[in-house]
Amino acid sequence: MSTPALSALPVRPLTLRDLPACTSLAYDRGWSPEEHKWRLLLAAGHGVGMDAPDGRGLLGACTLTDFGPHEAPAFTAIGMMLIADRYAGRGFGRRLLEYVIHHSGSVPLTLYASAGVLPLYRKLGFTSVGRAAAATGHLTAPGALPDLPGLTLSPARASDLPRVLRLDAEVFGTDRTPLITRLPAFADRFLVAEEGGELTGFAARWPNTGTEVVGPLVARDTRTAQALIAGLAEGSTRPLRVDVDVRHTALLEWLGERGMPVVASSELMTRALSGLPGDWTRRFAPLTVAAA
């Protein structure tokens, strides 16, 4: 079957009904299916995709997560950008990105990119503003933490959610209610850190294919971030993954010393935005690099 011209292929919204097609597309490209993550991103945000002209599922897809007021997002994060292997290298990825850029209007865009696709994103107006390092492995000697007098960790309760939302908005610089309110159901473990009755951090551990991801990770300082990771590691039998902002060198060194070396990295890129808003000194890791 001949492939239609790029302009002739319609781009359509994706819904949760497209979840099987999204995971099949991931399989096609050699990715893990990551159904749990796809489900969150399509529920908390939305997605767009193109149907394959040969009738075999999706030709391509990506998720879009809006942050800030629904009617006027502060920015939109692009994630899970995938083109079916049999259609790779024919310009369909660019076609999908150009569609997203056009329909975003004046709303800035963000994404995390691997090295292989950086040239395409740069051609489309994205610039590099940061980097995340994926530290992965089984955390060893988690009890070897500095003394933290007054710090307490506890499972997040329903009554903690308003405080978590306020801290998250302060640290990430915009409202992320659709994502954060889904954390209790999405995560296997969700901890909050307090000192003197003040919420100083929070973190979640959620299941992905083959690993458990720690994210988001918000903390007053490196020691609090270490304590949250160690607390989340308890009871986990699978490798952990934390996508740490590379500016947090002390945390990356601590993880590396405890069996979690950096195994990959990705470039944080933005379009029409000088960088992520908020306070990076307390923003140690995103929920997922698919949602900035």
Side-chain angles (χ1 to χ4, degrees):
M1 179 182 293
S2 62
T3 303
L6 290 178
S7 59
L9 278 175
V11 178
R12 66 171 178 85
L14 298 179
T15 70
L16 284 170
R17 287 177 294 181
D18 293 297
L19 185 59
C22 291
T23 57
S24 294
L25 181 61
Y27 268 124
D28 176 80
R29 287 313 302 261
W31 282 25
S32 299
E34 301 186 299
E35 180 178 343
H36 192 56
K37 181 163 68 173
W38 277 103
R39 186 181 298 278
L40 172 73
L41 295 172
L42 290 175
H46 52 115
V48 292
M50 296 181 287
D51 293 308
D54 60 10
R56 294 164 52 195
L58 289 169
L59 180 155
C62 69
T63 59
L64 303 167
T65 308
D66 296 331
F67 296 116
H70 175 72
E71 62 281 358
F75 63 91
T76 296
I78 304 171
M80 312 300 277
M81 173 67 70
L82 276 171
I83 300 297
D85 186 62
R86 62 194 182 278
Y87 292 108
R90 303 190 196 180
F92 293 107
R94 181 172 188 139
R95 156 81 168 128
L96 195 55
L97 273 170
E98 287 176 338
Y99 175 91
V100 171
I101 290 169
H102 175 74
H103 285 270
S104 68
S106 60
V107 177
L109 300 170
T110 71
L111 54 82
Y112 281 93
S114 58
V117 291
L118 289 177
L120 171 61
Y121 292 134
R122 286 173 178 151
K123 286 178 184 177
L124 294 176
F126 288 85
T127 57
S128 299
V129 297
R131 194 156 50 92
T136 304
H138 292 277
L139 188 70
T140 60
L145 292 169
D147 184 34
L148 296 171
L151 177 69
T152 61
L153 300 182
S154 59
R157 300 162 297 183
S159 58
D160 291 318
L161 197 54
R163 295 193 302 159
V164 168
L165 286 168
R166 285 194 295 270
L167 179 58
D168 185 81
E170 183 181 330
V171 171
F172 282 85
T174 191
D175 179 52
R176 306 196 315 153
T177 295
L179 271 181
I180 301 305
T181 53
R182 286 175 167 83
L183 270 182
F186 178 71
D188 285 342
R189 201 160 193 213
F190 185 9
L191 296 178
V192 294
E194 292 182 278
E195 291 184 55
E198 178 189 356
L199 185 71
T200 59
F202 64 89
R205 186 190 83 202
W206 52 272
N208 204 11
T209 308
T211 64
E212 294 199 76
V213 179
V214 173
L217 174 58
V218 169
R220 169 179 285 175
D221 49 36
T222 300
R223 296 183 308 161
T224 304
Q226 292 170 351
L228 283 164
I229 294 172
L232 291 174
E234 293 178 7
S236 175
T237 59
R238 296 195 294 170
L240 295 181
R241 170 175 171 153
V242 193
D243 291 287
V244 180
D245 185 315
V246 296
R247 290 173 289 189
H248 291 292
T249 55
L251 181 61
L252 285 169
E253 290 172 4
W254 180 83
L255 289 167
E257 292 167 356
R258 286 160 178 79
M260 293 184 61
V262 172
V263 298
S265 65
S266 54
E267 203 86 2
L268 173 61
M269 307 189 81
T270 61
R271 192 178 191 278
L273 189 68
S274 59
L276 290 185
D279 179 7
W280 75 266
T281 66
R282 292 181 288 167
R283 185 176 59 234
F284 285 82
L287 190 155
T288 166
V289 292

